[in-house]
Amino acid sequence: MEDGEAMELEPSELAEIIEAHGPGASLISVLEAVQSRYRYLPRQALILISQYLGVPLSQAHSVATFYNAFSLRPRGRYTVRVCMGTACHVRGSASVLAEVQHQLGVKPGETTADHQFTLETVNCLGACALGPITVIEDEYYGQMTPSKVEPALRKYCACKRQEAAG
Ligand code: FES
């Protein structure tokens, strides 16, 4: 797969990932493996997993929707989380979110068309003193302002180009 492209589902690869766990494996561990590979849980995967483990499809679906770690929709390579908790809100996180939306062209819960970024809002990241906070993947950006948004996002696009060249 090229970076930025939607992850193609290879049925044989999917079956390999699922069967590597054995028929007695826990549902969550198999879901985690598939989520890790594709960054989401395609419906086709849920069907195969439920058949292989012998659990109802409705159960696989329930678990997949219950845990935040799982997604039923394709996700971007990087997740951008803008904190909208009270401490960050009073310090201007709404304007940061507006700028992120402007730069990426998506709303919270959506993924960019190139599958590079998924935008989310959160209610507190546990670092209120540094607010307003935005997290891109695992990197914290404290005292965020709208003018810092574009340079922060550009860094991840640059990473993508460097990896492609290397
Ligand atoms: S409210 Fe944003 S980190 Fe706590």
Side-chain angles (χ1 to χ4, degrees):
M1 182 195 91
E2 293 294 320
D3 286 338
E5 287 183 5
M7 183 96 51
E8 287 295 325
L9 205 57
E10 287 284 341
S12 59
E13 182 190 58
L14 179 57
E16 205 172 290
I17 293 169
I18 294 170
E19 288 168 12
H21 287 74
S26 79
L27 175 59
I28 287 182
S29 64
V30 181
L31 291 174
E32 281 175 340
V34 173
Q35 168 83 38
S36 168
R37 173 67 184 95
Y38 297 103
R39 299 198 298 264
Y40 81 112
L41 297 171
R43 179 163 175 79
Q44 185 185 350
L46 289 184
I47 293 169
L48 281 178
I49 291 169
S50 68
Q51 288 171 346
Y52 185 70
L53 297 181
V55 300
L57 178 58
S58 59
Q59 185 182 338
H61 191 270
S62 294
V63 172
T65 52
F66 181 78
Y67 293 99
N68 286 339
F70 298 131
S71 173
L72 296 179
R73 291 192 295 181
R75 295 184 59 85
R77 182 175 184 198
Y78 302 111
T79 301
V80 181
R81 295 185 177 89
V82 180
C83 183
M84 298 301 286
T86 305
C88 287
H89 184 73
V90 298
R91 292 178 175 146
S93 60
S95 60
V96 172
L97 176 62
E99 181 61 16
V100 174
Q101 291 184 150
H102 173 70
Q103 290 290 333
L104 297 182
V106 294
K107 294 181 181 145
E110 295 179 348
T111 296
T112 56
D114 64 0
H115 290 86
Q116 190 73 355
F117 296 102
T118 293
L119 174 59
E120 294 178 346
T121 56
V122 292
N123 289 325
C124 184
L125 289 158
C128 308
L130 300 176
I133 294 210
T134 294
V135 178
I136 306 178
E137 273 307 288
D138 296 325
E139 199 161 348
Y140 279 59
Y141 293 84
Q143 295 164 345
M144 197 60 165
T145 63
S147 64
K148 293 180 183 173
V149 168
E150 195 271 337
L153 292 172
R154 189 165 4 106
K155 188 173 154 190
Y156 292 85
C157 297
C159 287
K160 177 189 164 192
R161 282 197 295 274
Q162 283 165 10
E163 286 174 18

